[in-house]
Amino acid sequence: METAELIRQWRTAVRVSHRAHADAAARWERAGRLVGVPAIGLASLVGTVILATIEASPGRTARAFAGLAAVAAAALVSLQTFLGHSDRAQRHREAALRYAWLRRELDDLAAGGERDAKAKRRLEDIRARWAEVDAMAPAIPARQLARARDLVLGTRES
């Protein structure tokens, strides 16, 4: 395969990986907020209800509501901790950044018009670093990877 064609194919593949990981980071951040915000709200509500029930003689309904809200808040906080949304988002952000570095280097190589021997040496270096990035990057679901590929290739609107 000609060097220019290989560079073009690699640029596309790296752009897809970059987009997929950037999208995954955003998705995990959103998921963390979807669990975290209600957990904070419920925990605040539980504290308020408990303070209010201390001052007045609590009815059965108020105690039951406070108990259920406390259990729900604890469950949401536990779920958020277990799922590790922020950690997953950070790992995808790091992978996206590393794919972006590879993409810029391939862009530079494509624009440089270097002689074949020098270009091939740079490609070997990029191939090795790409394998390292792939090894450290968290997995991307096939459906999300296909969506990123369609967006990069222009066959799908965002």
Side-chain angles (χ1 to χ4, degrees):
M1 176 181 299
E2 189 177 314
T3 304
E5 177 62 18
L6 182 62
I7 292 170
R8 187 190 66 71
Q9 287 179 4
W10 283 15
R11 285 173 68 197
T12 300
V14 168
R15 285 178 57 211
V16 168
S17 293
H18 175 236
R19 176 67 187 246
H21 283 283
D23 290 350
R27 189 187 80 213
W28 284 112
E29 286 171 354
R30 265 191 319 277
R33 283 191 302 273
L34 286 173
V35 174
V37 170
I40 291 167
L42 279 173
S44 299
L45 181 66
V46 167
T48 303
V49 168
I50 289 173
L51 286 175
T53 58
I54 288 172
E55 292 181 11
S57 62
R60 237 174 152 141
T61 306
R63 284 194 311 248
F65 176 75
L68 285 173
V71 169
L76 286 174
V77 169
S78 298
L79 184 63
Q80 188 173 29
T81 301
F82 175 74
L83 293 176
H85 295 117
S86 61
D87 179 56
R88 288 181 182 200
Q90 181 60 32
R91 290 177 56 218
H92 282 291
R93 266 193 303 279
E94 289 171 6
L97 178 64
R98 291 176 186 213
Y99 283 115
W101 289 338
L102 289 173
R103 189 194 75 231
R104 283 189 291 276
E105 189 157 346
L106 286 165
D107 290 347
D108 179 55
L109 185 59
E114 295 177 358
R115 289 208 162 94
D116 228 20
K118 186 175 180 182
K120 286 182 180 179
R121 281 193 306 274
R122 280 187 71 188
L123 283 172
E124 286 305 314
D125 179 54
I126 291 170
R127 180 192 314 262
R129 285 186 289 123
W130 189 356
E132 290 173 11
V133 174
D134 279 345
M136 65 72 61
I140 297 283
R143 191 176 82 208
Q144 190 173 356
L145 194 57
R147 180 181 182 278
R149 185 178 303 111
D150 290 346
L151 288 169
V152 165
L153 296 175
T155 57
R156 177 187 214 150
E157 292 182 23
S158 46

